Amino acid sequence: MLNIVWFALWGLLWAIYFMLDGFDFGAGILHPFVAKNDIERRMVINTVGPVWDGNEVWLITAGGVTFAAFPTTYAYMFSYLYTPLFFILFALILRGVSFEFRGKINSEGWAKLWDFVIFFFSLMPALLFGVAFGNIFEGLPMDANGYHGTLFTLLNPYGLLTGIFFVLMFLQHGALWLAIKATGNVSERSKSFADKNWAVLLIVAVAFLVYTKFATKLYDNYFSNPVWFIVPAVAVLSLLMIKVFSKTSYIKAFYASCLMILTVVFTGIVGLFPNLIPSSIDSAYSLTAYNSSSSPYTLKLMFIVAVIFVPIVIAYQIWSYKIFSAPITEDDLKDPEVETY
Amino acid sequence: MDAVFLARLQFAMTALFHFIFVPLTLGLSVLVAIMETKYVKTGDETYLRMTKFFGKLFLINFALGLVTGITLEFQFGMNWARYSKFVGDIFGPPLAIEATLAFFLESTFLGVWIFGWKKVSKVMHAASMWLVAFGTSVSALWILIANAWMQHPVGFVVRNGRAEFTDFMAAATQPYAILKFLHTVTAGYVVGAFFVMGVSAYHLLRNNEVDLFKKAFKIGAAFGVFATIVVFIIGDMHAAEVAKTQPTKLAAMESVWNSEKGAPMYLFIVPDEKHHKNAVELFGIPKALSMIAYHDPNATVKGLNDFPKGDTPPVLITFASFRSMVGLGTLFVLVALLAFLFIRKDNLIDKKWFLKAMVWAIPFPYIAIEFGWVVAEVGRQPWIVYGLMKTSQATSLAVTIPQIIMSLAGFVVLYSILGIIDIYLLIKYAKEGPEAASVTAVEGGK
């Protein structure tokens, strides 16, 4: 039972991570396009300034929980995906310091350099996380002799499609975030981008759902227990609601986008169960919630910790989002008494 | 160059680099919180400007500590898959707990602190920095509980081909973990204290903001006296715990080759690793080593030659790092006491030589800490988990040598560039002083 609970929590941590850091990535990719001068670029950066770091901790927690609850999966997943993970690390490090470094030297070239870093190293992890999850949905070529893939086998059509799908989702998410958190031209350009991007996202989402039928075994769980179709149904519905809400309230559209990311990730998680990483060549070597988990003692211990502390974390993170709920204006960025990036 | 060596090199490089930034985070978070609390209590604007100035330096430093920490968490699985699989049941939980209890607290309230000057009350703002400081210490506690388990594994059984927890509290509360935690955190406080004193000394030498920097120096000096003494005492207790739990490490730290009852301590030793003896041993204090290690003048200290071949760590590097750390630690106590004395007597400004020395003293606590980690990790070799798993058995089988060379080269290049930029920025903003800090804000520079 605890194995199932931890499988669900494992999925939930990744889903929350993508829901939160997703708009950071989206805003980062978009900022050269929706912000035309230095103060507008700083506006974009400052919309994520107070929260991006807390968002990224969900990734560290997802990694830590994979280690604690499913150590065998952690060991294989991280060593088999060594090179893409290295690139993700590389990108997250550079993107992380860029917020702090960008404004610290008063020079146009310096700011431009870090603007490019923010753009490129937001795009790269967004794409690579998608490619990695696409490959996990397909399964990795692993058996008794270990792993038989390379970086290039990961870049297969389905993996790349999932990567593009993730990028488009995060772009939608980031554009909606900027629509409500930025002001003036930045907000207007983001709204117009969000409206245009939506159609492309819809097409790729449909392509993803169809291709998933052929490239993966994710739908098997759904056909054997059709009640689960509710999850992808909500995903599709929330994608449609983004369009509907965008006409009246971008805040509601953003919440719909949050729900979309959560349910898209869970569409994969439900389909994977009980596998965390299926083997694409021999299902006997799939890493499951049972054969790769920690001892019952550790699962119970971690469950107690999670039940007590995760609600506390969520409570104060919501509190901090509320404190910074006001959109960023140009006047905010010119205020000498308020520290901004 | 084999895969094990490369993986170790990469881990050592990324961990030591990470730990350039962590100690200042540990120490300076507390110091900035103290400064801001003084502002809230007294309403004295000097403390507000002091808080903002050192707060800015704190943030420049924090950025690199944060991002380089992710590498370490990922690296266990990436490079040490067999280790992760074997000990994940035990080693995973403290890492997950660290993220849940500490990282969220640190990152969320740091966000509130940076951007919340006008959005939360003064008290809440100061409390945010205290929460950051608390989160930083909680983080250190859990990662060091995990590290202590590698040094002295307790509360487990080997079952199903791996180590499994039987008693979480035994691992979380073992003396090794508590001492390591206290030693590391107070070492971070030493770094923070010397940093604040050194930066203040720089400005005092130039008669810049004398009032503000005298006050800052005083906070740093008081904190420094406390930290240098505590880190020393805990260090002594920690070494005694090492003697009890890791006899090979102790023997390497002291370069003891042959077992001896009532072992003396030599003030000057030149180890000769090749011939398994010391080339030079001078100024022996009778029975001192037995006394320090076991608190008993007649205790037997087991020598390296009496352990099974291949079970002992590299001696020269462990020994030299340990001696250097202890030497520096002793010096820090004296310097901190002098600093405190001068600021109390209010004749610090006249002691130009001392102020100059304090500026140049800034890097030394960092160096001592890095030596400390070399002792802890090299001294544990050839084990990754002492007595339980060899380092050579712990690497990822799926990762090839070219892959590690690529990532190692990538980290070396990336970390060098970022390290240079970060240290450059720290020096630049430290030199500019508090006035400049608000000028940049007016220009919207940050």
Side-chain angles (χ1 to χ4, degrees):
Chain A
M1 185 58 204
L2 268 179
N3 294 63
I4 300 173
V5 170
W6 271 111
F7 180 84
L9 283 172
W10 176 76
L12 185 64
L13 285 169
W14 283 108
I16 293 178
Y17 169 65
F18 289 130
M19 176 182 85
L20 294 176
D21 222 12
F23 67 74
D24 299 334
F25 288 141
I29 304 168
L30 276 175
H31 96 289
F33 308 105
V34 296
K36 299 293 180 195
N37 55 42
D38 188 58
I39 195 133
E40 289 183 358
R41 295 209 177 96
R42 285 181 50 220
M43 184 187 283
V44 172
I45 294 166
N46 279 284
T47 64
V48 299
V51 294
W52 75 268
D53 182 1
N55 294 345
E56 202 162 288
V57 175
W58 287 95
L59 170 67
I60 304 178
T61 309
V65 158
T66 312
F67 201 169
F70 303 105
T72 310
T73 296
Y74 170 80
Y76 290 147
M77 179 177 169
F78 280 61
S79 59
Y80 291 173
L81 301 178
Y82 189 89
T83 305
L85 276 171
F86 168 73
F87 284 120
I88 285 175
L89 274 176
F90 205 88
L92 292 179
I93 289 170
L94 275 165
R95 186 191 64 130
V97 295
S98 63
F99 298 126
E100 185 64 31
F101 284 179
R102 185 186 180 279
K104 285 287 186 295
I105 290 177
N106 223 339
S107 127
E108 207 180 312
W110 179 258
K112 275 195 171 146
L113 170 73
W114 293 105
D115 282 335
F116 175 77
V117 169
I118 293 171
F119 159 75
F120 189 76
F121 293 104
S122 295
L123 176 63
M124 196 163 99
L127 181 73
L128 286 176
F129 274 124
V131 171
F133 271 78
N135 277 278
I136 288 171
F137 296 159
E138 287 177 288
L140 296 177
M142 54 187 184
D143 61 18
N145 298 318
Y147 180 58
H148 302 286
T150 66
L151 181 60
F152 299 102
T153 55
L154 295 173
L155 299 176
N156 56 67
Y158 181 77
L160 286 171
L161 178 70
T162 315
I164 292 164
F165 179 42
F166 269 49
V167 170
L168 288 166
M169 267 200 304
F170 295 159
L171 276 174
Q172 189 71 35
H173 202 43
L176 292 169
W177 168 262
L178 289 176
I180 56 180
K181 293 290 295 180
T183 49
N185 286 336
V186 177
S187 174
E188 290 311 314
R189 291 189 199 109
S190 302
K191 284 175 187 168
S192 122
F193 178 85
D195 295 342
K196 281 182 220 144
N197 186 64
W198 185 85
V200 186
L201 175 61
L202 180 69
I203 294 165
V204 172
V206 171
F208 170 79
L209 287 174
V210 173
Y211 200 173
T212 299
K213 175 78 186 83
F214 301 101
T216 76
K217 297 196 179 89
L218 292 188
Y219 285 116
D220 291 1
N221 279 349
Y222 291 93
F223 287 116
S224 60
N225 212 342
V227 65
W228 288 109
F229 271 114
I230 188 122
V231 178
V234 172
V236 172
L237 188 68
S238 45
L239 174 56
L240 298 174
M241 290 314 282
I242 290 174
K243 186 70 181 172
V244 174
F245 286 141
S246 290
K247 293 205 171 72
T248 52
S249 158
Y250 281 94
I251 296 177
K252 284 184 186 165
F254 177 73
Y255 286 133
S257 171
C258 289
L259 186 62
M260 170 186 73
I261 293 180
L262 289 176
T263 45
V264 164
V265 174
F266 263 90
T267 299
I269 299 294
V270 169
L272 279 174
F273 184 82
N275 298 320
L276 287 99
I277 305 180
S279 166
S280 58
I281 44 182
D282 185 348
S283 62
Y285 293 93
S286 293
L287 297 163
T288 73
Y290 303 102
N291 72 12
S292 80
S293 81
S294 289
S295 64
Y297 179 95
T298 292
L299 290 180
K300 195 175 147 196
L301 167 80
M302 290 307 300
F303 184 69
I304 295 167
V305 172
V307 164
I308 297 172
F309 288 100
V310 172
I312 297 175
V313 167
I314 292 175
Y316 65 63
Q317 280 209 334
I318 290 175
W319 171 81
S320 97
Y321 272 88
K322 285 213 162 135
I323 289 177
F324 299 108
S325 62
I328 309 279
T329 64
E330 292 202 4
D331 286 344
D332 289 337
L333 300 169
K334 289 171 182 158
D335 186 343
E337 283 179 49
V338 179
E339 288 280 310
T340 48
Y341 281 132
Chain B
M1 289 212 283
D2 60 292
V4 176
F5 175 77
L6 286 169
R8 282 185 63 192
L9 194 62
Q10 180 170 305
F11 200 93
M13 199 280 282
T14 52
L16 289 175
F17 186 80
H18 175 62
F19 228 79
I20 295 173
F21 303 96
V22 172
L24 189 62
T25 300
L26 280 165
L28 201 52
S29 56
V30 176
L31 284 160
V32 171
I34 290 172
M35 291 167 188
E36 195 172 356
T37 305
K38 279 190 178 264
Y39 163 64
V40 173
K41 275 192 172 169
T42 63
D44 182 349
E45 294 274 323
T46 315
Y47 287 113
L48 176 63
R49 291 173 56 238
M50 192 192 293
T51 303
K52 287 198 171 184
F53 171 64
F54 283 105
K56 179 167 260 184
L57 301 179
F58 175 81
L59 294 177
I60 295 171
N61 172 74
F62 185 85
L64 265 198
L66 170 91
V67 293
T68 53
I70 312 174
T71 307
L72 294 180
E73 194 207 50
F74 277 32
Q75 218 168 191
F76 293 114
M78 288 167 70
N79 291 94
W80 305 95
R82 283 185 290 169
Y83 166 79
S84 300
K85 199 179 161 204
F86 185 68
V87 304
D89 199 64
I90 293 159
F91 198 80
L95 263 64
I97 293 172
E98 182 191 19
T100 315
L101 268 62
F103 291 157
F104 282 119
L105 203 64
E106 260 181 296
S107 56
T108 307
F109 285 95
L110 192 62
V112 172
W113 192 85
I114 303 173
F115 297 93
W117 286 100
K118 282 190 170 174
K119 302 204 187 259
V120 294
S121 70
K122 276 184 191 175
V123 173
M124 185 62 229
H125 196 270
S128 298
M129 186 48 89
W130 280 113
L131 285 169
V132 171
F134 177 69
T136 309
S137 287
V138 172
S139 155
L141 175 66
W142 287 100
I143 196 64
L144 293 170
I145 285 171
N147 181 272
W149 190 85
M150 299 168 79
Q151 310 285 353
H152 184 231
V154 291
F156 73 102
V157 61
V158 175
R159 193 163 50 199
N160 306 322
R162 65 179 178 184
E164 291 190 353
F165 251 145
T166 54
D167 188 352
F168 168 70
M169 287 314 283
T173 60
Q174 66 158 322
Y176 204 115
I178 304 303
L179 290 169
K180 196 170 190 80
F181 164 69
L182 293 174
H183 189 56
T184 310
V185 169
T186 45
Y189 291 174
V190 175
V191 168
F194 275 66
F195 183 85
V196 168
M197 285 192 284
V199 171
S200 302
Y202 176 87
H203 290 284
L204 289 174
L205 276 168
R206 283 155 187 80
N207 275 322
N208 182 23
E209 298 267 3
V210 172
D211 176 48
L212 186 151
F213 282 114
K214 264 165 75 176
K215 283 175 175 162
F217 193 96
K218 198 170 182 178
I219 295 173
F223 196 64
V225 169
F226 156 79
T228 51
I229 293 174
V230 174
V231 78
F232 197 91
I233 296 169
I234 302 283
D236 176 61
M237 292 162 73
H238 188 19
E241 187 66 21
V242 168
K244 206 156 61 175
T245 54
Q246 295 180 296
T248 51
K249 185 190 275 182
L250 181 90
M253 279 156 61
E254 300 290 356
S255 191
V256 178
W257 294 98
N258 300 309
S259 301
E260 199 169 342
K261 190 169 176 292
M265 178 172 270
Y266 295 99
L267 293 183
F268 186 78
I269 294 176
V270 179
D272 178 358
E273 286 202 67
K274 210 169 150 194
H275 300 101
H276 297 265
K277 66 183 182 66
N278 288 329
V280 184
E281 282 177 347
L282 292 174
F283 314 117
I285 306 170
K287 304 196 182 213
L289 181 55
S290 291
M291 192 62 211
I292 288 174
Y294 296 100
H295 301 150
D296 169 9
N298 295 313
T300 302
V301 177
K302 198 167 169 186
L304 291 156
N305 293 336
D306 293 321
F307 290 98
K309 231 180 155 191
D311 275 4
T312 55
V315 179
L316 182 61
I317 179 170
T318 310
F319 164 79
S321 302
F322 180 66
R323 283 279 161 117
S324 309
M325 175 186 74
V326 174
L328 285 170
T330 315
L331 203 62
F332 298 153
V333 178
L334 300 174
V335 173
L337 283 171
L338 265 185
F340 190 69
L341 192 73
F342 291 153
I343 192 91
R344 274 299 289 268
K345 283 189 160 178
D346 207 14
N347 58 0
L348 181 71
I349 308 285
D350 314 326
K351 302 262 189 299
K352 298 277 183 224
W353 63 271
F354 187 73
L355 289 173
K356 276 182 195 158
M358 286 314 290
V359 177
W360 289 104
I362 293 174
F364 287 93
Y366 288 98
I367 295 169
I369 284 183
E370 299 280 323
F371 278 138
W373 274 114
V374 170
V375 175
E377 302 298 284
V378 176
R380 191 190 58 230
Q381 301 304 324
W383 305 99
I384 191 163
V385 182
Y386 194 77
L388 188 66
M389 185 183 210
K390 289 260 171 83
T391 309
S392 56
Q393 303 299 312
T395 48
S396 302
L397 293 174
V399 179
T400 61
I401 288 176
Q403 278 180 301
I404 312 179
I405 290 176
M406 179 219 45
S407 61
L408 179 61
F411 279 125
V412 168
V413 172
L414 178 69
Y415 280 13
S416 304
I417 293 170
L418 297 184
I420 289 167
I421 294 173
D422 205 74
I423 291 166
Y424 167 78
L425 289 176
L426 267 175
I427 294 172
K428 171 178 140 90
Y429 280 91
K431 279 184 173 174
E432 276 182 13
E435 209 54 64
S438 50
V439 169
T440 12
V442 174
E443 290 169 355
K446 192 188 168 182

